Each structure stands twice: as C-alpha cells, then as structure tokens.
Amino acid sequence: MARYRGVLFDLFGTLVHFDDARLPTIALDGRDVRSTVPLLAPLLGDVLPAVSPALLHRTLRAVSEEMMRARTDDHIEHPSRERFRRVLLQLGCDDVACGETAAMLSRVHMRAIADATVFPPEHEALLAGVRAAHRTGVVSNFDDTAAAYSILARHGILGSVDTVVISEAVGMRKPHPALVREGLRGIGLAADEVLFVGDTFDEDMAAAHAAGVDAVWIDRAGRGVPVGVISPRWVVRTLPELAALLER
C-alpha cells in the first residue's frame, strides 16, 4: 500500500451524503414525495402560469429518466439547465423564454440540493488523515459544476483536495475513463500510484478500471461484487475503513 501516493474520491455517496428529508414535500397520488418542485413551481408564473406542481414534477421526472437512459449509452453529461430547458419546452414554454427560465430553475434546484448534503464528521476526519500523507482529488459525476464547487466549499472539502473534476465541465461522465484520467493529471501522478474510492460499481469502479487505477468500492448495502465483472482491488462497507487499508 505504501506505493500509493494519491487518492481520488467520488463525491456523492462517498464523501458526502444526500439527506432527502431536508427537501420540501409535494402531494402526488395521495402520498407526500420529497422534491425541489415546491420551490420551482412558483417561478413559472410568468411563463407557464397554468402548469401545476404535479405536472411539473411528472414532466421533470420523465425528462430526467430519458436523459439518464441516453447517457448510459453515450456517457455525455448535459448541464442541469439543459434538463430544465427540455422540461419547459415539453410544457409549452416559448423557446426564447426557455433559456433564461431554465437557468433560473436550475439554480434554485441546485441550491436546494446543496442544502440537503451532509459531510459526516468521520468522513471529514478520514479525508484529513489521507490528505496528510497523499495527494488528493475529487472526481464526480454531477450536472452542475458551480453547485458542486459550492458543496465542496460549504463542507470545507475544497481546501483539502489538490484537484476537482466534475463531469459537467468535462462533458463526459463516469464510467468513461476521461474523468479519472483528468484527476490523475490534476494531482500529477501516474495511474499505478493512485487509488480511486467510490460507491457505484457501474460508474466509479468501471471508470477506475478503464483508466488503469486500483479502486476501493464502498459496498454500503453489503450485496457483494456483482457476478461476472472485474472485482475492485478492495471492498469496504464504509469510507472510514479506507484508513486501515492505507496504514497497512
């Protein structure tokens, strides 16, 4: 383990967690659903006054699912504002007004998402310990670079890493290895000198393998490595377990 000089971390689900209980609720089909829609719906008054929160929620979900299916194949990361632009077009928004309104909706949505992130104290301690002996970086799939930096800054992570790579800025997303390779360039180390830590198998582990980087998978659910795939170098249940691996 002494040969590792750098550690690259995934952000969401790895360093920070998302607490959806911090989001407002919307009543849909007789149940309360956590969503940013209650914050977004009032902003449509000038362009789409007849659109209900329920219709906005259904359209946003449908567009999001469609974009998720597409990026599974092409690994292209479209910005958050593009998602909202497509939503507005489907709802009948004038093309000229769509761009500005989409950007506004994206900003409100991302502020709410940032407010719902949590950086556990044990993760903060782990990062500080790793940082003391290794070059560090964040390599994350996220469709809003500014919001990602805001999250890193609010939790004090930004000052504890040497590089940050966000998929929106690159235009590609994991499992494409471009993000991990950019992380390697950011910390100035070769692939065999770096360990990648992430919580998703199809994205994080696949990207690390494609870039030739050893990986640690956080198998939080304890389901084990999927059958028929290349196993990561290590499997842990929680991020703080990384400290014991690095101390060997």
Side-chain angles (χ1 to χ4, degrees), residues 78-97:
H78 293 286
S80 172
R81 62 187 177 277
E82 171 61 16
R83 176 160 56 120
F84 284 101
R85 188 188 73 84
R86 296 184 188 187
V87 169
L88 292 172
L89 284 174
Q90 287 201 19
L91 292 172
C93 177
D94 177 79
D95 190 40
V96 176

Side-chain angles (χ1 to χ4, degrees), residues 17-85:
H17 294 160
F18 183 72
D19 180 10
D20 63 358
R22 299 186 179 194
L23 295 179
T25 60
I26 179 174
L28 292 172
D29 301 323
R31 62 190 182 94
D32 289 337
V33 177
R34 296 285 178 179
S35 172
T36 63
V37 164
L39 305 174
L40 305 176
L43 303 177
L44 294 181
D46 292 337
V47 292
L48 296 168
V51 172
S52 67
L55 177 57
L56 174 59
H57 185 277
R58 286 195 297 271
T59 307
L60 178 59
R61 182 172 59 186
V63 169
S64 298
E65 290 174 352
E66 180 184 359
M67 294 179 73
M68 286 175 64
R69 287 192 295 270
R71 71 191 190 194
T72 298
D73 295 326
D74 60 26
H75 310 318
I76 294 175
E77 186 74 277
H78 293 286
S80 172
R81 62 187 177 277
E82 171 61 16
R83 176 160 56 120
F84 284 101
R85 188 188 73 84

Side-chain angles (χ1 to χ4, degrees), residues 25-189:
T25 60
I26 179 174
L28 292 172
D29 301 323
R31 62 190 182 94
D32 289 337
V33 177
R34 296 285 178 179
S35 172
T36 63
V37 164
L39 305 174
L40 305 176
L43 303 177
L44 294 181
D46 292 337
V47 292
L48 296 168
V51 172
S52 67
L55 177 57
L56 174 59
H57 185 277
R58 286 195 297 271
T59 307
L60 178 59
R61 182 172 59 186
V63 169
S64 298
E65 290 174 352
E66 180 184 359
M67 294 179 73
M68 286 175 64
R69 287 192 295 270
R71 71 191 190 194
T72 298
D73 295 326
D74 60 26
H75 310 318
I76 294 175
E77 186 74 277
H78 293 286
S80 172
R81 62 187 177 277
E82 171 61 16
R83 176 160 56 120
F84 284 101
R85 188 188 73 84
R86 296 184 188 187
V87 169
L88 292 172
L89 284 174
Q90 287 201 19
L91 292 172
C93 177
D94 177 79
D95 190 40
V96 176
C98 270
E100 180 179 351
T101 306
M104 177 180 64
L105 292 175
S106 178
R107 292 266 53 82
V108 173
H109 171 78
M110 285 300 170
R111 280 199 296 270
I113 294 299
D115 288 341
T117 58
V118 178
F119 186 37
E122 59 271 24
H123 290 195
E124 182 177 5
L126 180 279
L127 180 59
V130 173
R131 169 69 170 170
H134 304 77
R135 296 188 63 78
T136 57
V138 167
V139 177
S140 177
N141 282 348
F142 199 51
D143 60 358
D144 193 297
T145 304
Y149 271 84
S150 174
I151 292 167
L152 291 168
R154 74 162 55 199
H155 294 303
I157 300 172
L158 195 56
S160 298
V161 294
D162 300 294
T163 192
V164 174
V165 181
I166 306 299
S167 59
E168 191 231 343
V170 176
M172 304 293 292
R173 59 183 284 117
K174 297 173 286 184
H176 197 287
L179 277 76
V180 178
R181 290 170 180 156
E182 186 63 25
L184 294 175
R185 285 189 286 269
I187 58 176
L189 295 174

